[in-house]
């Protein structure tokens, strides 16, 4: 097996983008529980995200969600971020919370509403021009709940046209990243339900259209690392939304439900070049901390990704290829498991210490008093959350 | 096959309870869309429910949800219902929207919170004493999101104790009906996740503890009619919450996603005695009309149940038993399908006409002008919805 | 709703290919049950298939499986078929029953074995040249059971190369149809697990490479009609393998498990042009009659497809489009359900009678005495089955 | 966290029963691949099993399957086992490979066939009397493939009667262990599909009727450790059939698909008393080595169970309970993960060395030359496999 010292520098280039909305309240359709210290503004979200980065060195950028994070002056917001030690990242559009979008947005049969949804995305690109963001990420809630409700093909054709309008607005260094999702909030047909659909649209759009893979957006039993491999092979893996799930799109902490799956995913990322120095694959979190504390939830998450990346880097790929060549099924599997079962935590603590980071970021956060501080400071105002 | 005329009187005793909350706004965690004419009070919900019954003759009672439908004078509310032509039915408790219940209610490790949850149920029984309701239905959102978060066994033991306290408060003609659900809002372990768990608690409690089967609360692929058969065989099928699903607990209109499954379920109900004159099985709807109109959504739902009940009653059970005896697989299946494929809609229209009901309740509702009337009248106030 | 008389001629062009292997014994990994009268040769399989066509008029061609149906003289076999009133159709390759293929075939890391698998396909094209078959259908059992066992990307690259070699051998009027399957017999990663993967390979190969959609080869909950729509939109839906399932690839009689799903699939076929006069979409059965009689099982299957096609043709698509335009969710759904619930069986009986076919093919088969005849005649020899 | 030295003695009492059939050939419905050295008799299976125990110290007993392992003199077979260093364990019945059982066995509507199935089980108890086996394990393939094929309730009632006849034959120290399975080989309704059904039968039978939990026999997403907890709470967890799965009943090596799930299962076993000194829970493997070598496959499997048992024993349960009491979600989860991520392999190697076992049993097996020996010796005869 590869030694930890050999992967130390590779770990140094890891960067995981945090979503601003992870710091706001979230919940299920049954209840959103509030918590003390929840941010009331995008600036406070950035401050919380900056804590995660300060303690781990893993999270240098923050994704924004429009309109949740809309401000008058994005240039100024960028400087706020910079002062906090982070930068603004991906811009996420939102076409699922305006009453007009009840039956669709970029797919809507009513041209007025569809134009409004397209215009929202153009505004997002305007924002990207100011923030310097590379990626416009589109997750569509569009779909239908009942058979017959919409013409599946018509919706697809309109989607293609809407995406084309948006894509044409992009600058040369900007990308459109199209996310797919198996179901929810639509319960019969979702308009971008799988990687195949997302890829077909990207292929029609052009080179700067990429697929976003959210690890919670698949049918039960789906082999996600296979899709990772396939999208890397096709040159169309744009970004990850990391989280984990036991059932549906549970949005739990990445690595919490099935750490071995996360390991396999990261192994395919690495094997397929997605972690190479020149890779343009973006790694992001997209989770809901419904019952746990948000900031330590994000810290735990980026650490989980780092730990699994380390294990995946440790795999002896030469030996693995040889075992495959020999048809040694148990041997090959054993080589992979050997890396997975290696406890890298002490090495990573040392690695952090060597870089001036706290060896135990979770403990350091608790010791920092930050949580008590924000609980005391952030009184009044409206706590951020989905829709706020 | 049996003739429609032979089942006509059996259809006459069908009664499907409507949930008061079906008339309020509902949605997903992403968005709750409002609609014109949505009730602002429990009395307005009852008025809407009464429309469904007036047009179909199928929905004589309305289930209440506490605290959503709490009023000062339930006796008076009962008279309001009576004046509208319906009556009050099952009382549903709610322990998922108070901040105290973030980590559990009847299972909570904190005795103070658990006592509060028990007390809420005792209040529900107080209400039942006034409304004359037979059933206290308990659906618990309790569960955990992360492995280790709670001691699964400890939670179960506390649940058993809580249920015992509630059960002991019941009057002789009252029942405790315990619903199970595969997942959501808990994403790792749900404390009553399957019929086996619900049944174990019921067996421990006594004869008046029954299982509630919500048709949307199972793992993918589960054979629901098998569970119906098994619970009837055990004498513990208390009630149904009807709805339909393609994915998870989608809460779509019953029969919309898989009409053949609804047929099979109702066939097992009938075969197992659950539709007999002396059956105590309660039939209820529990759906969310997120994108469709609520009142016609409920009308469509009770009609779907009626249509499938008619088809299921048409099955030639004598011929079916003979085909099974002969090992005639295709013959037996054909007998069942024969009834399923029979179009009973014209016969049911006539059946309704014979009883002074509109032959086409959906059209009659649209023609009635009721929707326009409530849209005009119900201005101001707070629309009802989950949590309101 | 459209009238039955308006769809009568459209029903006339329906053709469903039967698989030769449906007439042999099949089973599960636990047991293959034999039955009297099972064919012992491909000629006897053709004779059985011809019975299905004679009684229904729906099944004019028979798919062969190589090597199961290999004969010395395929030209002669074609004449045998012709004399029986049917013709030879799709050629199916088989790379899952030779010991060499334990770890793969077209994806195998060993070039010798991979070349052998390619050569097998070239032989299949040789046969197609003689039989005049249009389609070479490839279903691959290739995959891995354990993480690490094979390099997912390497397998994919070798598959692409193998397919290219096969594709280049095709004549101008021949097609390569690549089937995908979620899992089984591979239990970790399947090399062509989803429509996206199949499509990517087809796009790389050329215009005569198409996707085969087997209705049993998807993850739980997958919206299959959406994939139908998408593949028709991309011009790459080559063929169907019809069957039905409750759990995995159960290979039950098409329409038996979820008739409404079959209806929706056929509706999307029709709406997307897949049933048009000039459509090149092939409709085939691929089922296993493990516990039921095989010939009536096939008769039941083609009748199910016909009945659902009739219902799907009855949908009032003009009204449906208008309801969608108005955002009338319940209205649109009602229009679709109206057609689904229409009992077309009497009309179809008449339709058959008008064409000189038995009005009740199932009864006609039983009355024909064919089953007794083959049970008496087919004594000795080896019954056909998977692998025989 | 607990130290390894504290759990050392607890590891000493671990015993995992091997199934005789794991050493024979197995496969899918598509193909059973043979391999060199496969046993041709039950004695050779015992010899192979003895190798696993000799190298790991973990597998002192072997389960038999009747009729696959039927011999004239079971007393002699017991001595053969003893001479090899193992003993005979659970007796497994088989009612799925006789032509009579096509439509059922203990549930069959034909009393003659049902009596035959009962008689087979009585013979199994006769064998148990000779072998000294404690457990009769019943896995039923019974079920139906098509709705209507069988009366679900009637089948259940006959099953209850059949089980009663078998149970009554048991000696005072013998147990009936009833396995459940979600689906396969039945594809519509399985007669014992879930733990609830198995438990209901066990409760009706008496104290010596227990549930067998096969880890591959659940619906997608099922929380298996919850069922473990619940069955231990009810005092009815009789035994485990260990294996792992990505999709359905894949029968892969235990721990291969989701090691974290295996950890959670073993943690609940321990927490619920199932690993206590006086526990009567039986731990068995039930896997199919389709593409990998069988003996090292079994070695790998028992080592996986041991490694995860060690990790589960390391959990600091006092700290865990305290974190739960404080509502510290992330803290509690962290305590559990801490044990899971601990690499116990070096400690276990030492533990083995201390007990005179090879520190690396996989390497020791390869070095032993046993595989070459059996490949050379076992020429001719019929290789064992399912049905052989």
């Amino acid at each position: 097996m590869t030694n930890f010292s050999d992967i130390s520098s590779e770990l140094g280039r890891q960067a995981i983008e945090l979503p601003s909305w992870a710091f706001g309240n979230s919940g299920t359709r049954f209840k959103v529980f509030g918590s003390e210290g929840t941010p009331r503004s995008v600036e406070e979200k950035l401050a919380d995200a900056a804590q995660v980065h300060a303690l781990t060195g893993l999270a240098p950028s923050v994704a924004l969600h429009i309109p949740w994070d809309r401000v008058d002056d994005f240039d100024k917001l960028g400087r706020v971020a910079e002062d906090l030690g982070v930068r603004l990242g991906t811009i996420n559009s939102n076409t699922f919370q305006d009453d007009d979008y009840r039956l669709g947005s970029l797919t809507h049969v009513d041209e007025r509403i569809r134009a409004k949804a397209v215009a929202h995305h153009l505004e997002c690109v305007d924002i990207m021009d100011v923030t310097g963001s590379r990626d416009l990420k589109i997750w569509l809630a569009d779909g239908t709940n009942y058979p017959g409700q919409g013409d599946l093909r018509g919706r697809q054709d309109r989607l293609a046209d809407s995406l084309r309008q948006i894509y044409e607005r992009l600058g040369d260094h900007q990308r459109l990243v199209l996310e797919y999702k198996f179901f929810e909030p639509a319960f019969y047909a979702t308009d971008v339900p799988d990687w195949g659909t997302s890829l077909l649209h990207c292929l029609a759009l052009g080179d700067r259209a990429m697929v976003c893979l959210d690890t919670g957006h698949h049918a039960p039993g789906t082999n996600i690392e296979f899709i990772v491999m396939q999208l890397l092979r096709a040159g169309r893996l744009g970004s990850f939304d990391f989280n984990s799930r036991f059932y549906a799109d549970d949005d739990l902490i990445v690595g919490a439900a099935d750490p071995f799956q996360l390991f396999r995913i990261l192994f395919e990322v690495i094997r397929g070049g997605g972690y190479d120095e020149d890779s343009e694959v973006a790694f992001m979190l997209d989770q809901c901390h419904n019952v746990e504390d948000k900031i330590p939830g994000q810290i735990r998450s980026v650490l989980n990704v780092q730990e699994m990346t380390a294990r995946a880097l440790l795999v002896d790929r030469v030996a693995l290829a040889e075992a495959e060549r020999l048809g040694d099924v148990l041997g090959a599997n054993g080589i992979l498991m050997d890396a997975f079962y290696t406890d890298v935590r002490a090495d990573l603590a040392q690695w952090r210490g060597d870089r001036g980071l706290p060896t135990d970021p979770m403990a350091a956060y608790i010791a920092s008093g930050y949580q008590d501080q924000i609980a005391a400071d952030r009184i009044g105002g409206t706590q951020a959350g989905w829709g706020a």
Side-chain angles (χ1 to χ4, degrees), chain A:
Chain A
M1 207 173 63
T2 310
N3 287 315
F4 190 86
S5 57
D6 298 330
I7 67 168
S8 179
S9 68
E10 289 177 274
L11 289 170
R13 65 168 181 270
Q14 187 150 45
I16 303 157
E17 189 159 299
L18 305 185
S20 67
W21 55 96
F23 301 96
N25 292 321
S26 65
T28 69
R29 59 174 168 146
F30 298 104
K31 169 73 174 173
V32 174
F33 291 99
S35 62
E36 291 191 329
T38 294
R40 299 154 303 172
S41 67
V42 60
E43 289 81 6
E44 289 182 354
K45 295 181 200 173
L46 291 175
D48 290 359
Q51 283 296 309
V52 177
H53 187 50
L55 295 170
T56 64
L58 292 170
S61 65
V62 183
L64 301 183
H65 212 291
I66 309 299
W68 299 340
D69 297 322
R70 188 187 276 132
V71 292
D72 289 335
D73 187 341
F74 277 99
D75 188 52
K76 186 175 159 198
L77 190 69
R79 291 194 302 275
V80 169
E82 206 173 316
D83 290 347
L84 289 162
V86 293
R87 58 182 171 73
L88 304 181
T90 297
I91 300 297
N92 293 261
S93 62
N94 178 322
T95 57
F96 52 89
Q97 294 190 317
D98 185 300
D99 282 335
D100 271 345
Y101 299 140
R102 189 171 57 95
L103 301 178
S105 63
L106 295 182
T107 66
H108 205 292
V109 73
D110 182 331
E111 285 301 309
R112 182 190 65 78
I113 295 174
R114 188 161 73 89
K116 172 176 170 173
V118 170
H120 167 66
H121 285 85
L122 301 187
E123 185 207 345
C124 286
V125 184
D126 290 342
I127 293 170
M128 291 165 66
D129 288 342
V130 180
T131 57
S133 302
R134 183 188 60 182
D135 291 352
L136 170 65
K137 194 166 70 183
I138 305 178
W139 169 64
L140 283 183
D142 290 37
T144 52
N145 275 7
Y146 292 98
Q149 177 186 334
D151 181 321
L152 300 182
R153 169 70 173 271
R155 296 176 70 91
Q156 208 65 208
D157 292 341
R158 292 189 294 273
L159 173 59
D161 180 74
S162 301
L163 290 173
R164 187 191 47 75
Q165 292 181 50
I166 298 163
Y167 186 80
E168 287 175 354
R169 166 65 183 83
L170 291 178
D172 287 349
H173 301 293
Q174 292 173 336
R175 310 190 306 177
L176 183 160
V177 184
L178 183 60
E179 191 165 341
Y180 61 91
K181 184 174 182 181
F182 186 48
F183 81 98
E184 195 211 22
F187 294 127
Y188 162 58
T190 294
D191 292 311
V192 188
D194 51 24
W195 71 268
T197 295
S198 180
L199 180 64
L200 268 182
H201 284 290
C202 290
L203 291 173
L205 289 172
D207 285 348
R208 282 167 298 118
M210 310 292 281
V211 178
C212 172
L213 188 159
D214 182 305
T215 51
H217 288 189
H218 303 85
T222 300
N223 184 323
I224 297 174
E225 59 268 28
F226 181 93
I227 299 175
V228 170
M229 174 279 295
Q230 198 66 277
L231 287 174
L232 283 170
R233 185 173 178 268
R236 295 285 180 163
L237 180 59
S239 62
F240 277 98
D241 271 8
F242 280 124
N243 50 58
S244 74
R245 64 187 284 276
F246 287 99
Y247 303 96
D249 185 32
D250 307 342
D251 279 331
L252 301 177
I253 288 174
V254 57
D258 187 349
F260 183 46
Q261 184 188 55
L262 178 59
F263 168 79
R264 299 192 312 264
I265 289 171
L266 288 166
F267 178 63
E268 289 303 330
V269 168
I270 292 164
R271 182 151 68 170
Y275 192 73
D276 286 356
E277 210 138 354
D278 60 351
S279 165
E280 296 205 322
V281 177
F283 299 86
M284 307 176 54
L285 301 183
D286 186 12
Q287 305 174 160
C288 292
H289 301 299
N290 296 348
V291 299
E292 69 273 23
D293 291 333
K294 294 161 200 3
I295 299 173
Q298 293 282 294
I299 295 172
R300 178 73 276 156
S301 301
V302 297
L303 293 177
N304 282 355
V305 175
Q306 183 184 42
E307 289 180 20
M308 282 305 163
T309 302
R311 287 179 173 88
L313 286 166
L314 290 177
V315 175
D316 184 340
R317 288 163 58 189
V318 173
L320 194 63
E322 179 63 6
E324 179 183 15
R325 203 185 60 75
L326 296 172
D328 181 3
V329 174
L330 290 171
N333 179 244
I335 289 163
L336 199 75
M337 300 313 291
D338 202 16
F340 175 67
Y341 284 132
T342 301
D343 192 347
V344 295
R345 293 176 299 169
D347 284 323
L348 282 170
Q350 162 114 39
W351 182 93
R352 276 189 287 271
D354 292 348
R355 279 151 187 79
L357 293 162
T359 54
D360 183 343
M362 292 292 281
Y365 177 72
I366 293 168
S368 74
Y370 185 83
Q371 189 71 43
D372 294 336
Q373 191 64 44
I374 57 176
D377 290 352
R378 296 177 182 170
I379 305 294
T382 304
Q383 292 196 325
W386 279 14

